[in-house]
Amino acid sequence: MFKRLCLIGIGLIGSSIALRARKEGLVEEIAIQSRRQETVDAAARRGLGDTYTTDPAEAVKGADLVILCVPVGAVGDITEAIAPHLEPGAIVSDVGSVKGAVVAAMQPHLPDHVDFVPAHPIAGTEHSGPDAGFPELFDGRWCVLTPPAGTNPEAVEKLKAFWERLGSHVETMEPSHHDMVLAITSHVPHLIAYNIVGTAADLETVTESEVMKFAAGGFRDFTRIAASDPTMWRDIFLTNREAVLEMLARFNEDLTALQRAIRWGDGDTLFDLFTRTRAIRRGIIEAGQETADPDFGRQKKV
Amino acid sequence: MFKRLCLIGIGLIGSSIALRARKEGLVEEIAIQSRRQETVDAAARRGLGDTYTTDPAEAVKGADLVILCVPVGAVGDITEAIAPHLEPGAIVSDVGSVKGAVVAAMQPHLPDHVDFVPAHPIAGTEHSGPDAGFPELFDGRWCVLTPPAGTNPEAVEKLKAFWERLGSHVETMEPSHHDMVLAITSHVPHLIAYNIVGTAADLETVTESEVMKFAAGGFRDFTRIAASDPTMWRDIFLTNREAVLEMLARFNEDLTALQRAIRWGDGDTLFDLFTRTRAIRRGIIEAGQETADPDFGRQKKV
């Protein structure tokens, strides 16, 4: 499908793309770039690419598909650095979890002779770095494309086909709608997970060792996403500020109502909510986005 | 270890106790009671016990170990009903997730000739009912005993040995401390999980079908505990009100600080928290309370 794929950044997502694209024979050559030599070396040890460099300008030369796989706070500077070296006709994309800010940061730098198709694969684990990737990461997960108005439809189709071959379902969306959807399905969940893990760690009445021992009561479920990459998540909150604050306000309103129900002993309000929420999980399982095994299937392993 | 075990209530916990106690040969006979004939029939179909009844007074006759496995809101009335029929020397226990309120509700009804040893196995899945139980549920999990002052130490030792044979580690604690520990490790996590699932379902700007499709970004992790039994959880919040409200206030304080950091673009505050929280997950994995597999080990299955 592509002659030369250039991956700028080679963490969990970049390395998973490299492994799957190679496996499927989607690209003839893979050029890998990372800011840190240490990461480039780790990628080389795993044999993820054909060429390796810390220089983004060098990496994009001759590439007909360039994907930025870096925290969203870094895409603007990188785009500026690579812009003069991009091949005419190349597709330039990314994998950022925020789309409005990414489009705003990248588009002004890009020359007219490339096609810009922002993308966001909604897949991941709590592990990061080039050793964390695996080729099945995108299987059955959704990838959202947010092409700006006027984007060459052929480039959109080609990138869609690429992501489908990586295992994804693909949907196209307005950047601003994407950012709202992700604020509630991903960003606010991460924020409250990070928050409760922090709250628990800071208590005086309950020790950290007690929190760890008795985590099976529910707490441990939150620690998984609260172990996600700190730089990536800092950038998400800074760049999707408006949508996150809006969804957080809704969450807080609802939580205040529950708090009040507890204080006043209003069991019916609690019971009604707790009954409704079961249906949502069933829907997610039916949508193929969650395992139906009890306890995520981890029960027998721990 | 015991001649006749009586289980009052036969949901996830009761059925798991029955299966494991039988497997380990800890009891000669198991008497099963449930309020609803339908549940009694389901338990009988699985062959969980030797005798079945909807009458708690009948069930406890001749039992030297009686365990109440019902929502914590129901233990007071049941204890009153069984009290006159309890065998002298019997150990009376429970499995409730709140201990202060359970002790207060049960103890006044109990005759002097029985030993009261409240217990809380910190184990479970999001499934409920007699078909949800399995014998390995308690393996490696903690069970907290909260014997009131003056309890016969032999009874405490005997119940401890019983729970160890069911697979648990056992710890003894003051009821009030237990309720504080569980408020942060279990009750508040459930509350915020229920809450965000409710918030997401009620949005107008993002559809329920979008929430389900894109749940892999983190949201789905919360839906597991938000699918837990509604009656059980309503009772927990109503009976552990003080500790839950206290921990919730801490959570809210911390969340307000994060919200402010996002609004003012304070990336350092976010980054510092997001770095600290990783260590807590490592601690839980090292404590044997969580799988080290990425994505709870579910990644390849969905």
Side-chain angles (χ1 to χ4, degrees):
Chain A
M1 287 183 73
F2 293 95
K3 217 172 109 293
R4 183 175 161 102
L5 163 65
C6 169
L7 297 169
I8 301 288
I10 191 74
L12 168 67
I13 301 293
S15 59
S16 297
I17 294 173
L19 289 164
R20 184 62 174 263
R22 181 78 83 194
K23 198 173 164 187
E24 302 283 333
L26 307 182
V27 297
E28 283 174 34
E29 205 185 336
I30 301 178
I32 286 176
Q33 184 275 350
S34 175
R35 195 167 50 90
R36 295 163 61 217
Q37 187 60 48
E38 197 184 323
T39 311
V40 168
D41 293 344
R45 269 196 306 278
R46 264 195 106 179
L48 296 174
D50 300 290
T51 68
Y52 303 92
T53 175
T54 56
D55 179 8
E58 188 191 320
V60 301
K61 278 176 194 156
D64 49 351
L65 175 58
V66 175
I67 307 180
L68 273 59
C69 307
V70 296
V72 292
V75 297
D77 288 349
I78 289 173
T79 308
E80 193 173 4
I82 62 174
H85 310 278
L86 290 166
E87 207 65 18
I91 294 176
V92 177
S93 187
D94 76 313
V95 297
S97 305
V98 178
K99 295 270 70 91
V102 162
V103 171
M106 291 179 70
Q107 203 170 20
H109 300 297
L110 290 169
D112 287 341
H113 62 68
V114 302
D115 292 311
F116 177 42
V117 188
H120 176 208
I122 300 168
T125 77
E126 67 278 23
H127 295 187
S128 33
D131 291 324
F134 54 98
E136 302 84 8
L137 179 62
F138 309 111
D139 275 333
R141 299 283 83 80
W142 286 86
C143 180
V144 178
L145 306 185
T146 63
T151 306
N152 174 5
E154 276 173 42
V156 177
E157 277 310 304
K158 201 167 173 190
L159 194 68
K160 178 173 187 285
F162 179 78
W163 274 103
E164 285 171 348
R165 293 288 299 275
L166 295 182
S168 291
H169 310 299
V170 179
E171 181 150 321
T172 298
M173 225 181 256
E174 286 290 316
S176 61
H177 186 62
H178 167 279
D179 289 353
M180 203 64 96
V181 172
L182 270 288
I184 190 68
T185 57
S186 179
H187 306 171
V188 169
H190 273 77
L191 193 72
I192 62 181
Y194 279 123
N195 190 65
I196 194 162
V197 177
T199 301
D202 289 346
L203 295 172
E204 312 82 26
T205 46
V206 177
T207 68
E208 211 164 279
S209 122
E210 285 175 320
V211 168
M212 290 169 183
K213 273 165 80 171
F214 305 118
F219 182 77
R220 61 179 179 163
D221 284 26
F222 292 77
T223 62
R224 190 186 77 80
I225 62 176
S228 303
D229 185 62
T231 305
M232 170 181 159
W233 281 96
R234 176 199 62 198
D235 285 3
I236 288 171
F237 293 115
L238 296 179
T239 54
N240 198 23
R241 185 171 64 180
E242 298 310 321
V244 167
L245 291 177
E246 184 177 330
M247 292 300 174
L248 194 53
R250 299 289 291 249
F251 172 85
N252 277 326
E253 247 175 67
D254 293 344
L255 190 60
T256 301
L258 281 186
Q259 187 173 348
R260 191 171 185 278
I262 292 172
R263 191 176 303 281
W264 292 96
D266 174 5
D268 292 345
T269 293
L270 301 174
F271 187 83
D272 289 349
L273 172 66
F274 301 173
T275 306
R276 276 206 297 140
T277 49
R278 288 189 140 179
I280 305 280
R281 182 166 178 83
R282 274 197 303 276
I284 296 172
I285 292 168
E286 280 158 21
Q289 297 302 309
E290 176 63 291
T291 173
D293 292 349
D295 210 12
F296 304 123
R298 76 181 160 196
Q299 187 62 44
K300 311 275 167 82
K301 297 187 183 180
V302 183
Chain B
M1 288 182 73
F2 292 96
K3 218 171 108 294
R4 183 176 162 103
L5 163 65
C6 169
L7 297 168
I8 301 289
I10 190 74
L12 169 67
I13 301 294
S15 59
S16 297
I17 293 173
L19 289 164
R20 184 62 173 263
R22 182 78 83 193
K23 198 173 162 186
E24 301 284 334
L26 306 182
V27 296
E28 284 173 34
E29 205 185 338
I30 301 179
I32 287 176
Q33 185 275 349
S34 174
R35 194 167 52 89
R36 294 162 62 216
Q37 186 60 46
E38 197 183 324
T39 312
V40 168
D41 293 344
R45 270 197 303 278
R46 264 195 106 179
L48 295 174
D50 300 290
T51 67
Y52 304 92
T53 175
T54 57
D55 178 10
E58 186 191 321
V60 300
K61 277 177 194 155
D64 49 352
L65 176 58
V66 175
I67 307 180
L68 273 60
C69 306
V70 296
V72 291
V75 296
D77 288 348
I78 289 172
T79 308
E80 193 173 2
I82 62 174
H85 310 278
L86 290 167
E87 207 64 20
I91 294 176
V92 177
S93 187
D94 77 312
V95 297
S97 304
V98 178
K99 295 269 71 92
V102 163
V103 172
M106 291 178 70
Q107 203 169 17
H109 300 296
L110 289 169
D112 287 341
H113 62 70
V114 302
D115 292 311
F116 178 41
V117 188
H120 177 210
I122 300 168
T125 77
E126 67 278 23
H127 294 189
S128 34
D131 291 324
F134 53 98
E136 302 83 9
L137 179 63
F138 309 112
D139 275 332
R141 299 283 84 80
W142 286 85
C143 180
V144 178
L145 306 185
T146 62
T151 306
N152 173 6
E154 276 173 41
V156 178
E157 277 309 305
K158 201 166 174 192
L159 194 68
K160 179 171 187 284
F162 179 78
W163 274 103
E164 285 171 348
R165 293 289 299 277
L166 296 182
S168 291
H169 309 299
V170 179
E171 182 150 320
T172 297
M173 226 181 255
E174 286 290 316
S176 62
H177 187 62
H178 165 279
D179 289 353
M180 204 63 98
V181 171
L182 269 288
I184 191 66
T185 57
S186 179
H187 305 170
V188 169
H190 274 78
L191 193 74
I192 63 182
Y194 279 122
N195 190 64
I196 195 163
V197 177
T199 302
D202 289 344
L203 295 171
E204 311 81 26
T205 47
V206 177
T207 67
E208 212 165 278
S209 122
E210 285 175 320
V211 168
M212 290 170 183
K213 273 165 81 171
F214 306 118
F219 182 76
R220 61 179 179 162
D221 284 25
F222 291 77
T223 62
R224 190 186 77 79
I225 61 176
S228 303
D229 186 61
T231 305
M232 170 182 160
W233 281 94
R234 177 199 60 198
D235 285 2
I236 288 171
F237 293 114
L238 296 180
T239 54
N240 197 23
R241 186 171 65 180
E242 297 310 320
V244 166
L245 290 176
E246 184 176 331
M247 291 301 174
L248 194 54
R250 300 289 291 248
F251 172 85
N252 276 326
E253 247 176 68
D254 293 345
L255 190 60
T256 300
L258 280 187
Q259 186 174 350
R260 192 171 185 279
I262 292 172
R263 192 176 301 281
W264 293 96
D266 175 5
D268 292 344
T269 293
L270 300 174
F271 186 83
D272 289 348
L273 172 67
F274 301 173
T275 307
R276 276 206 297 141
T277 49
R278 288 188 142 179
I280 305 281
R281 183 167 178 83
R282 275 197 302 275
I284 295 171
I285 292 168
E286 281 158 20
Q289 298 301 310
E290 177 62 293
T291 172
D293 292 349
D295 209 13
F296 303 123
R298 75 180 161 197
Q299 186 63 43
K300 311 274 167 83
K301 296 187 184 181
V302 184

